[in-house]
Amino acid sequence: MSNGLARASVRFRPASFAGTFLALFFGAAVIMACGTLLQTGITASVPPVRYAAAPVVVAADPAVSIEVGRGEDRDDVEQALPERARVDAALAGRIAARPGVAAARPDTAFPVPADPASGLPVLTGRGFASVGIAGPEEKLVEGRAPGAGEAVLDADSARAAHLAPGAVVALTAPGGSGSYRISGLVAQPATATAAPTRPTAWFADPVADRISGHPGKVDAIAVQPRPGVEPEALAAQVRQAVGDSAEVLTGAARGAAETPALTESRAMLTGLGGSFGGIAAMTAVFAVMSTVALATGQRAREFALLRAIGATPRQIRRTIATEAVLVAPVAAALGILPGLALARWWFGEMVDRGAVPRAVGLSVGPVPMLAAVATCTLAALGAGFLAARRPSRLRPSQALGEAAVEPGRPGRVRTVAGLLFAAGGVALAGVAAGLDGTNAANTALGVVMCFLLATALLGPWVARTAAGLLGAPLRLGGGAPGSLAADNSRANARRLASAITPIVMVTAFCGTLLFLQTTLSHVTGEQLRDGITADHVVAPAGPGLPAGTADRAARVPGVEAAVGVLRTGVVHRSGDTLSSVNALGIDGDPAKLPRVLDLGVRSGSLADLGRSADTVALDAALAADLGVEVGERAPLWLGDGTAVRPTVVATYERGLGFGQVLLPRAAVAEHVTAGYDSQVLVADAPGADRAAVAARLADLGSPSGGQGGQGGQNGQGGTKVGGGGHAGAGAVTVADRAGYVAQADRARELGAWANTVMAGVLGGFAAVTAANTLVMTVLDRRREVALLRLAGTTRRQVRGMLRWEALLVAATGLLVGGVIAWITLVPITRGIAGAAPHIPAGTALPLAAGAVLLCLAATGLPGRALLRARPVAAGGGRQ
C-alpha cells in the first residue's frame, strides 16, 4: 500500500514535490563540485617534461612535516613550503659513484633578465652540466662550453635576437649583474615527449653555482642508468646513496620535481574541497531537510485523512520514505552535471590565477557523484521521517482535527535542543575570543552551524518574538494589510520560521566570509598607509633587484637611508598545526629601518636586527602564538624548509601589512626561490632635492648606472662579472610613498578570492533555498487567500499583506543572521587583525537589499498567481 501511495503522489501531484526536487538538485550540485575539487587535490599530478628522459630524479621534500599526538593517535601534519626546497650539490657525486649509475646531472634554474637592448627575453639560468637532461636532442650545436665570464644561449633565442658566438650581453642574476661573452649555442628539444623550447642561458658550473643565489644547492639531480639496469634497481641504489636527505622520485612523481608548486596546489585543492565541501555538505543537508520537512508538514491533512481511513503509522512512514527514494536520487543525479560544470569553472579560475599548474587536470570520478546522491537521499529520508512523526502518531479519530490547525508551541525536545545549540554557539564564540587568529578562525564553522541549528529548532519562538515586536509598527503604519500580516505572522509562527531560516543562513554565511575579507583589506590598507615613511620606492621592471642594489642606492648623493626588501615566507608551528606567514629579508642598516618603515615597535629594537644573522623581529601576535619574547629563540622553518631558531630582538604591530617576520637578508637569501629584492625603500637626506634624488635612483637601472661596486676581472678578455656598476640591475621604476604598492601576497589574494567564491556559492544556494521555501509557503495558502477574498478582502490588500510579511521575514532574517555573523567575526578579526569587523556600506547594503528583494519576489509572484483564481474556485480547489 505504501509504495503505491508514494508512486501515486509523485505521479499525480508533481507540484507538491517541486520544492523538494529543487533543494535536492542544487544541494547535489554543490556537493558534487566540492567533491570533485577534493578528489583532484588528492590525485593531482603533473607528467615529467624536462625530466622525462631521466628514470630517477632526486629532489628535496617540498613540505615541512611534524608528528603530532601520541601512541595510536599519532599523525603527520604537513605544510607546503613557500619557496623552492633544494638538495646539496655534493649528492650528485655520491650518486654517480653507485655501480648502476651512468650519470648524475645536477640541475638548477634561476631567472636571468637580459639588457633590454640585447633583444633577449628573461632567460632561465642553468649550469652547463645540466645540458642533456631533457634528452639527447639537447646538445651543443655551435661553439664551445662556457668558461668564466661566458655563457651559452639556446639557439632559438640567440637567433631571434640576432646574436652569435662572440657577442657580449649584459645579464642580471640573483647573485649579481655582469657582462658575458656568448661561447656557444645549444639546441633544445621541442617534441611532444621532451621539454619545450624556452629561453635559457647556461653558465660554467662554478659561475652558475655562485650567481644562482644559493651556492652549494641544486633544484634536482637527474640520474641515468647504465645499460641493463632497470629503473627499480637504479632507484634502490640511489636511495642507499642519499638516505633520508632527499626524496627519490620515479614514474609520474618526477613531475613534482620540476613543478614544486604542485604540493601547495594539492593542499589548496584538498583544503578547499574538504573544508568548504564540509560546509557546503552541511548547508545542503540543512537546506534539504528544512525543505523536505516543510513539504511533508504541508501535507498534514493528507496524512491525517490516511490515518482516518485506517492507515497505520508504519505505512505513513514507509510512504514518506518511498517518496524520498523516488525523488531524491533522480534530483541528485540531475544535479551532477551542473555540479561538474561549477567544478570546471572553479578549477579553471584557479589555474588562470596561478594557484594550480596548468599541467594539472580536473579529476572526475564516481566517488563525488555517489557522495552527492547518497548525502541528499539520506537527508531527504531523515527529514521525512522527522516530519512524519507527529501525523503518524495521531489517533485516527483526532487526525483531521489536529491537522487543521498549527501546533501551539514547539515540543520540549526541540526547544531544549535549540537552547543547547544556542548555548554551544555562545560557548564556542567565548573560546574563540581567547585564541589567536588562526585557531579562532578554525572555530568559525562551529559557531555558525551551532547558531543556525539553534535558529532552525527555535524558529517558531524567533518568529513569534519577531511578530510580537514588529506587529505594533505594522498595525500602525501598514493599515489593513499590515494588520493582517501581523496577525497571520503571529498565528502561523511555524510557517514564518520556515521562511526566516534560509534568510538567516544567507546572511550568516555571506556576512562571515565577505566581512572577514573587508576587515583584512581595511586593516592592511591602514597599516600600509601609516607604515610607509620612505620618500622613494625603487621597484624592478623585471623579476626583481639583485643583491647589492640597496648598497648602491645608499651611495647615491642625497640619500640618507636605503633598505632593500626581499619578500619570502616562513613556516611556524601553532599547536598541532603548521602555518606559513609572510617574511621580509632586510638588506641595509637595520638602525635606519624606521626612516623608511614605521612598524609600530612594541618591544626591543630593530637596530639589533642583522647584528647577527641569527636574529629575528616578529609581529606581536605571532610572537604571542609562538610563546616567545625579546631575547628568546623562535622556532621557525625558512622558506625552503631549513629549520632555524633565531633570537627575537623586537616585536611590532603592523605585521599584517608588511609581513609577520623580519630577518636579515643574509639569513634568507640562499633559502628563496629567486634571491631578488622586491623593492628598495629610500629616505632623502635633510635638504635634498627630492626630484634630483629620484632621477639619480632611476639611473640605477641603466647599464652605466650605480655608484660604485667594482666588478671582478674574470680573466676572459677583461669582461667584468659581479656587482659592478657597469652592468646595472635592469630597468627600475621610482615612486614616492603615495605610489607604494606592496608586492601582491598571492596567498592572501587567493584566500580573498576563495572566500568570495564560497560566499557566492553558499549565498546563491541559500538564496535559491530561501526563494524555494517562500514560494512553497505562499502556494500552500490557497485556502487562506480564498477565505480572505470571500470575506471581502481586496486583491490589493492581499498583495499588501504578503509584502508586509515578506518584509517581516527579511528584517528578521537579516537581523538574526547579522548577529550570528558578528558574533563569529569578532574573535577572528581580533585575533588576526587586532581590530573589530569592518563592515563597509557598499557591501552590506547590497546584501541586505538582495535579501529584501528576494523575499518580495518570492512572495509577490506566487501571490499574484493565487489571486488570479476566483475566490470560490481557490477555496474549493484540490489541496
Side-chain angles (χ1 to χ4, degrees):
M1 173 183 172
S2 351
N3 294 341
L5 284 173
R7 288 194 298 270
S9 296
V10 175
R11 181 178 179 184
F12 294 106
R13 299 184 56 187
S16 301
F17 298 93
T20 302
F21 188 92
L22 284 174
L24 292 165
F25 174 84
F26 285 104
V30 174
I31 295 173
M32 175 64 190
C34 296
T36 301
L37 292 181
L38 176 61
Q39 178 174 293
T40 302
I42 295 173
T43 63
S45 64
V46 294
V49 180
R50 177 168 174 77
Y51 298 143
V56 175
V57 175
V58 177
D61 188 347
V64 171
S65 177
I66 59 172
E67 190 177 82
V68 299
R70 295 180 179 179
E72 296 182 355
D73 294 332
R74 285 183 299 179
D75 192 15
D76 290 331
V77 176
E78 287 190 351
Q79 171 65 42
L81 292 170
E83 304 284 357
R84 175 77 188 240
R86 298 183 173 90
V87 297
D88 289 332
L91 280 179
R94 288 163 50 186
I95 295 170
R98 306 303 297 180
V101 175
R105 294 189 177 95
D107 190 29
T108 192
F110 49 93
V112 181
D115 183 355
S118 68
L120 289 171
V122 176
L123 303 168
T124 297
R126 299 185 185 276
F128 192 73
S130 67
V131 173
I133 285 180
E137 300 91 347
E138 187 178 63
K139 60 185 178 181
L140 190 67
V141 294
E142 188 175 346
R144 57 179 174 79
E150 294 180 333
V152 169
L153 301 184
D154 72 277
D156 292 340
S157 296
R159 289 164 184 161
H162 305 289
L163 296 173
V168 176
V169 294
L171 301 175
T172 300
S177 304
S179 294
Y180 298 84
R181 187 180 303 278
I182 300 174
S183 67
L185 303 178
V186 165
Q188 287 186 299
T191 64
T193 58
T197 299
R198 67 177 57 181
T200 306
W202 288 268
F203 302 89
D205 293 319
V207 174
D209 183 63
R210 174 169 52 81
I211 68 175
S212 66
H214 45 83
K217 299 282 187 178
V218 294
D219 294 353
I221 301 172
V223 185
Q224 294 287 350
R226 293 186 182 275
V229 178
E230 295 296 326
E232 294 79 7
L234 178 65
Q237 292 188 26
V238 173
R239 288 190 184 95
Q240 292 176 354
V242 303
D244 296 331
S245 61
E247 292 187 330
V248 178
L249 307 175
T250 60
R254 294 170 295 166
E258 55 188 286
T259 313
L262 180 63
T263 302
E264 187 177 359
S265 300
R266 282 174 176 166
M268 174 172 288
L269 286 168
T270 304
L272 187 63
S275 61
F276 178 56
I279 298 173
M282 284 188 284
T283 305
V285 169
F286 190 83
V288 167
M289 293 187 71
S290 175
T291 306
V292 172
L294 175 62
T296 305
Q298 288 178 344
R299 298 167 61 198
R301 294 174 61 86
E302 177 183 321
F303 296 133
L305 180 60
L306 291 174
R307 289 287 288 134
I309 62 175
T312 65
R314 184 170 179 269
Q315 288 174 326
I316 298 293
R317 290 193 295 269
R318 283 190 59 187
T319 298
I320 294 172
T322 304
E323 291 172 355
V325 171
L326 290 174
V327 176
V330 176
L334 291 176
I336 288 175
L337 286 180
L340 184 58
L342 175 60
R344 288 190 183 280
W345 172 83
W346 208 337
F347 183 78
E349 287 293 310
M350 285 189 284
V351 171
D352 292 341
R353 295 170 188 274
V356 178
R358 292 193 175 274
V360 177
L362 186 68
S363 177
V364 180
V367 175
M369 302 179 188
L370 294 175
V373 173
T375 301
C376 290
T377 301
L378 291 175
L381 277 171
F385 275 127
L386 290 174
R389 288 181 61 203
R390 181 174 176 272
S392 66
R393 287 182 175 183
L394 293 175
R395 287 181 295 179
S397 60
Q398 297 176 323
L400 287 174
E402 290 287 339
V405 296
E406 183 179 275
R409 57 180 62 184
R412 289 185 178 180
V413 174
R414 177 174 179 171
T415 301
V416 171
L419 292 174
L420 287 176
F421 278 114
V426 173
L428 275 178
V431 170
L435 300 175
D436 63 273
T438 303
N439 292 323
N442 292 334
T443 66
L445 174 61
V447 174
V448 173
M449 292 308 299
C450 279
F451 280 122
L452 283 180
L453 288 170
T455 302
L457 292 169
L458 300 175
W461 294 108
V462 173
R464 192 180 298 275
T465 302
L469 293 175
L470 300 177
L474 282 179
R475 291 186 178 91
L476 290 175
S483 181
L484 283 172
D487 293 338
N488 266 320
S489 299
R490 189 170 183 83
N492 297 282
R494 283 179 179 265
R495 182 179 67 198
L496 189 67
S498 298
I500 289 173
T501 302
I503 302 299
V504 173
M505 187 164 59
V506 174
T507 308
F509 274 127
C510 291
T512 300
L513 292 170
L514 293 178
F515 297 136
L516 174 61
Q517 290 309 134
T518 59
T519 303
L520 292 177
S521 298
H522 175 72
V523 174
T524 300
E526 282 190 335
Q527 291 186 2
L528 288 173
R529 286 191 299 272
D530 296 339
I532 291 293
T533 58
D535 297 304
H536 309 281
V537 178
V538 180
L545 303 168
T549 304
D551 183 59
R552 298 206 314 275
R555 292 195 290 270
V556 169
V559 170
E560 178 185 2
V563 176
V565 175
L566 187 157
R567 296 186 181 273
T568 180
V570 300
V571 176
H572 71 96
R573 180 172 180 172
S574 176
D576 288 341
T577 62
L578 292 171
S579 303
S580 63
V581 294
N582 298 326
L584 300 181
I586 302 300
D587 187 20
D589 185 357
K592 295 183 178 180
L593 188 59
R595 283 287 290 115
V596 295
L597 281 181
D598 179 8
L599 297 176
V601 176
R602 280 193 181 181
S603 60
S605 172
L606 292 177
D608 295 330
L609 183 69
R611 290 184 178 178
S612 164
D614 192 26
T615 54
V616 66
L618 299 176
D619 177 76
L622 178 59
D625 187 20
L626 294 175
V628 296
E629 297 178 351
V630 172
E632 298 179 345
R633 292 190 173 272
L636 301 169
W637 288 269
L638 297 180
D640 66 347
T642 302
V644 294
R645 293 181 62 86
T647 301
V648 180
V649 298
T651 62
Y652 54 92
E653 296 179 346
R654 296 189 174 117
L656 192 63
F658 296 97
Q660 291 93 324
V661 178
L662 297 186
L663 291 156
R665 190 187 194 280
V668 301
E670 296 181 6
H671 304 279
V672 297
T673 303
Y676 289 111
D677 286 353
S678 302
Q679 291 101 12
V680 171
L681 307 178
V682 179
D684 292 344
D689 185 332
R690 178 171 295 189
V693 173
R696 296 187 191 108
L697 291 173
D699 288 340
L700 289 175
S702 66
S704 59
Q707 299 298 317
Q710 297 297 319
Q713 294 287 90
N714 60 32
Q716 294 292 327
T719 305
K720 296 181 179 180
V721 180
H726 71 286
V732 300
T733 59
V734 181
D736 58 15
R737 72 180 66 176
Y740 175 82
V741 178
Q743 179 174 324
D745 178 354
R746 192 167 72 109
R748 188 175 297 160
E749 272 192 356
L750 289 173
W753 174 80
N755 274 359
T756 303
V757 172
M758 285 192 286
V761 172
L762 285 180
F765 175 59
V768 170
T769 303
N772 186 28
T773 303
L774 289 167
V775 171
M776 291 173 66
T777 57
V778 172
L779 292 179
D780 190 52
R781 300 171 67 179
R782 292 185 181 90
R783 291 179 179 272
E784 176 188 328
V785 171
L787 183 60
L788 288 171
R789 293 284 288 120
L790 289 171
T793 307
T794 65
R795 296 189 181 194
R796 183 177 180 182
Q797 288 174 328
V798 173
R799 288 196 296 267
M801 176 191 72
L802 294 176
R803 281 196 297 270
W804 283 117
E805 289 182 3
L807 291 174
L808 178 63
V809 167
T812 306
L814 287 170
L815 178 61
V816 176
V819 170
I820 292 174
W822 181 267
I823 294 175
T824 306
L825 280 171
V826 166
I828 300 175
T829 57
R830 290 286 185 189
I832 295 177
H838 175 68
I839 303 177
T843 304
L845 291 179
L847 181 63
V852 171
L853 291 176
L854 175 70
C855 292
L856 289 174
T859 55
L861 295 177
R864 288 180 178 273
L866 289 183
L867 289 171
R868 290 194 187 103
R870 290 182 303 172
V872 175
R878 185 177 61 187
Q879 299 299 313

